[in-house]
Amino acid sequence: MLTCRQMTELVTDYLEGRLSWKDRFRFQLHLGTCRHCREYVREMKVAVRALGRLPPVEIPPATMDALMERFRSW
Amino acid sequence: MRFLRRATSARDQGTAAQQRAASHQDRALVVRLLARDEAAFVSLVRTEHESLVRLALVFVRNRATAEEVAQDTWSGVLAGLAGFEGRSSLRAWIFQICSNHAMRRSAREARSTPFSALGGPDEPAVDAGRFEADGHWAHPPHAWRADTPEQILERAEAVACIGRVLDELPPAQRAVVLLRDVEGLDAAEACSVLQVSEANQRVLLHRGTLEGPPGAREASWRRVKRC
Ligand SMILES: [Zn+2]
C-alpha cells in the first residue's frame, strides 16, 4: 500500500498519465481508501484547471495600436 | 480566441511527450493571418500577449524589456508565419520565438543566464511535519470550498490573485507553470521552448526526490488555494 507521502510524489505523473498500470492501480487503490488524498488530488486538479482558464489580461490600447501598426506594415 | 483556449482543456488526461502537431484550428488561423485578417491578429494578441510578457520576464530584467521582447516576438511571428510548418502547435511555435528573443536579449544585456542555469525550484524543502513517520498526512489538505475552477474564477479578486501567484513564483517554476498549466503546452513543447531536457522539466514541475523541495505544480497549488 502506498503511503500518503508517496501519493504526493506520484500525483504529477498520475495527472500526466505517466504512471505504469501497476502504479496507477496502486494509486487508485489508495485514493479509494483515503479521503485526504482524494481531497489533495482533487484540489491539485482544480488548481491546474483554474490556471488554464485564466481570462486574458487586458492589453493597454497603446500596445495594441503599436502591434496593429506592425501588422499593417507587414 | 476561444477555440485556442478550449484546445488546452484536454490536457488533464494528456499523455506524455509527443510533439503535438498543429490542429486544424491552428492551420485555419494561420491562413486567416496570412490573408491579413486583422480580427484574427487582434484576438490572437489579446489571448497571448501577456503570456509572452510573462515568459520574457523569466529571462530579462524588467517589465519594459519584457514588453519589448513580446512586441518583437509578434514581428518575428509575422515574419516567420509563411514558413510555419505545423510540426508543433501554433502557440508552442510562438512561445519558442519569444524565448529565443528573450534569451538573446538577456545575453546582450550581459545577464547571460541560460534557463538551465536558473537552478531548480527554490521553495523551502518539504516540511517533514506534513507527514507522520508512517507516511500518513499529519496536516491533511483542508477541504477547499472551490469545487470547480469556474467557482474560483468568477471572483475578480481571485483572478487577480492567481495572476500575482504566477508573478511571484521563482522564475524557473513560473516558466514551467506558465507553459504547462496556463498555456496548456505538452511536456515536449515546454522543453523545446525552455531548452531543457524532459527530465529537467519534470523536476521543475514536480520534484526530484522525496526529500527535495516541492515542484512548481505543488507550489502553485498551495498559493492558488489561498486566493
Ligand atoms: Zn492518503
Side-chain angles (χ1 to χ4, degrees):
Chain A
M1 186 76 167
L2 294 170
T3 66
C4 299
R5 181 169 184 168
Q6 288 169 323
M7 292 290 283
T8 66
E9 301 302 322
L10 294 175
V11 66
T12 299
D13 282 344
Y14 174 75
L15 294 178
E16 302 235 44
R18 291 185 60 129
L19 291 182
S20 67
W21 68 266
K22 200 171 159 189
D23 281 341
R24 189 173 181 84
F25 177 74
R26 297 196 315 155
F27 193 94
Q28 285 169 336
L29 193 66
H30 183 113
L31 278 189
T33 60
C34 178
R35 70 189 167 88
H36 296 318
C37 284
R38 275 201 299 279
E39 176 63 14
Y40 175 76
V41 172
R42 187 190 75 80
E43 291 182 7
M44 196 66 88
K45 281 185 182 168
V46 170
V48 168
R49 298 220 310 270
L51 284 165
R53 284 169 207 189
L54 282 175
V57 174
E58 201 68 35
I59 304 175
T63 304
M64 193 49 121
D65 289 347
L67 288 172
M68 286 318 291
E69 192 132 324
R70 291 188 195 213
F71 184 75
R72 287 180 187 128
S73 63
W74 165 48
Chain B
M1 198 63 17
R2 166 158 291 192
F3 55 83
L4 279 179
R5 289 284 164 193
R6 193 175 298 149
T8 68
S9 62
R11 73 183 175 280
D12 297 331
Q13 275 81 37
T15 52
Q18 270 181 353
Q19 195 87 8
R20 190 160 38 188
S23 64
H24 288 303
Q25 288 96 328
D26 280 353
R27 290 176 192 280
L29 180 55
V30 169
V31 169
R32 287 176 64 194
L33 291 168
L34 288 172
R36 304 290 199 271
D37 181 335
E38 285 196 1
F41 185 67
V42 167
S43 61
L44 184 61
V45 168
R46 284 229 166 92
T47 50
E48 303 302 339
H49 185 75
E50 182 63 20
S51 298
L52 296 179
V53 174
R54 282 203 170 113
L55 178 62
L57 271 171
V58 170
F59 301 96
V60 302
R61 212 184 309 255
N62 61 54
R63 197 171 163 99
T65 310
E67 181 66 47
E68 279 174 37
V69 168
Q71 297 202 19
D72 289 345
T73 298
W74 290 114
S75 295
V77 165
L78 294 175
L81 197 63
F84 173 71
E85 290 175 329
R87 280 180 302 194
S88 68
S89 68
L90 181 64
R91 198 196 277 112
W93 182 76
I94 294 172
F95 281 111
Q96 181 98 61
I97 293 172
C98 181
S99 65
N100 285 341
H101 274 288
M103 285 182 206
R104 242 180 287 137
R105 182 67 182 251
S106 80
R108 219 188 316 144
E109 282 181 341
R111 185 213 176 204
S112 183
T113 320
F115 182 81
S116 51
L118 286 174
D122 55 8
E123 284 289 297
V126 72
D127 38 336
R130 256 175 96 201
F131 296 97
E132 308 283 6
D134 65 2
H136 281 90
W137 293 98
H139 304 286
H142 288 295
W144 189 14
R145 270 169 306 163
D147 283 330
T148 63
E150 288 71 23
Q151 274 178 357
I152 307 168
L153 298 175
E154 72 194 8
R155 291 185 296 120
E157 76 271 18
V159 171
C161 174
I162 296 173
R164 285 195 301 278
V165 167
L166 278 174
D167 294 339
E168 287 161 9
L169 284 174
Q173 291 198 342
R174 194 185 334 138
V176 79
V177 168
L178 186 66
L179 295 176
R180 294 300 315 281
D181 293 342
V182 178
E183 291 300 324
L185 268 53
D186 66 26
E189 290 176 329
C191 290
S192 68
V193 171
L194 298 176
Q195 298 180 18
V196 297
S197 70
E198 179 139 4
N200 219 320
Q201 190 266 161
R202 283 186 69 219
V203 171
L204 284 170
L205 193 62
H206 194 38
R207 72 179 81 148
T209 64
L210 241 97
E211 278 68 37
R217 203 164 260 168
E218 176 133 355
S220 57
W221 158 64
R222 289 187 189 184
R223 287 168 165 89
V224 166
K225 202 177 157 177
R226 280 186 238 127
C227 287

